[in-house]
Amino acid sequence: MKKIKNLTAAEAKEAFTKWEVKHPRHDDFDFNSAQIGNYKELFRLADRESIIDLIYDLFNYGFMAGYKQAEAELKVKIDKRMYSDMHRRLLELVYYLPFGYHAEYFYYIMVYSFKEGMLEAFYPKRIATPALEIRAKSKEKEARKKAEREERKRVVDEALKQYEQQKGGESA
């Protein structure tokens, strides 16, 4: 589909007609007839530049109305998913936590706070899978560090043994 700014008036009208089938407008966010009558009077009295500004303002109003309608629809969708007022408060608490750019640390804390097996039992797969991957990577990292420590310890023990043998050979 072309960008809106590149559409002709006929293409824009056709695109809007197709779009409106899936996205109906609600009266709360639409112009009422009194406002349209006011604009009709302004069109009759205005020069070309004023008419273009007026059309631009109408488009801006349309985008603003669309944004507000989308926000209202999102609020309704969220309200359907809320189980209780406590659920809403918990969601808002998590949303407004002051982690900023470091939110991943909070996510990791939450992932590690669950006991083994609880993620799979209580959460959908799309939420549990990334958390389980994080835990698996962590376990791999811990195993790798443990192997490196044991290897270093073995090397140090070997060096100490050689040193003791050298020292013992010099004393004899």
Side-chain angles (χ1 to χ4, degrees):
M1 184 176 150
K2 286 183 177 178
K3 290 186 177 182
I4 291 174
K5 66 181 184 177
N6 297 331
L7 294 175
T8 64
E11 290 172 333
K13 191 170 188 171
E14 182 182 334
F16 178 73
T17 305
K18 289 179 184 175
W19 178 84
E20 192 178 24
V21 171
K22 293 181 184 175
H23 309 284
R25 288 179 289 174
H26 302 293
D27 290 338
D28 297 348
F29 303 101
D30 208 0
F31 269 131
N32 63 29
S33 58
Q35 291 169 316
I36 293 171
N38 291 338
Y39 281 102
K40 188 171 143 183
E41 184 64 25
L42 288 172
F43 271 127
R44 193 175 60 75
L45 299 173
D47 60 359
R48 286 183 182 197
E49 189 175 316
S50 299
I51 289 174
I52 290 169
D53 286 342
L54 190 62
I55 291 171
Y56 182 72
D57 290 342
L58 286 171
F59 274 109
N60 286 339
Y61 178 84
F63 283 114
M64 179 185 67
Y67 175 81
K68 288 187 174 190
Q69 181 173 334
E71 287 288 312
E73 288 172 355
L74 180 63
K75 185 180 182 314
V76 167
K77 191 183 291 185
I78 289 172
D79 287 344
K80 282 182 184 176
R81 302 189 108 193
M82 289 296 155
Y83 302 113
S84 65
D85 192 45
M86 188 59 69
H87 185 204
R88 177 183 303 285
R89 282 189 258 161
L90 178 62
L91 183 65
E92 288 174 353
L93 171 71
V94 170
Y95 182 79
Y96 289 110
L97 282 173
F99 291 113
Y101 291 109
H102 303 292
E104 67 272 7
Y105 295 121
F106 180 69
Y107 180 73
Y108 281 70
I109 289 169
M110 294 303 295
V111 166
Y112 292 122
S113 68
F114 289 103
K115 292 180 182 172
E116 201 68 35
M118 285 185 67
L119 282 167
E120 303 95 337
F122 293 112
Y123 288 97
K125 194 173 185 176
R126 67 181 171 80
I127 293 173
T129 301
L132 293 172
E133 288 173 3
I134 287 171
R135 282 186 154 185
K137 286 178 186 176
S138 175
K139 286 180 182 178
E140 287 174 18
K141 187 176 178 181
E142 285 177 21
R144 191 174 61 247
K145 283 184 178 181
K146 184 177 179 182
E148 288 172 359
R149 277 193 305 272
E150 289 175 1
E151 180 64 23
R152 279 196 302 268
K153 184 179 178 185
R154 189 187 61 76
V155 168
V156 168
D157 288 344
E158 189 69 32
L160 280 173
K161 196 183 281 185
Q162 288 177 1
Y163 176 74
E164 292 293 328
Q165 287 174 353
Q166 247 181 5
K167 195 174 180 185
E170 289 176 6
S171 345

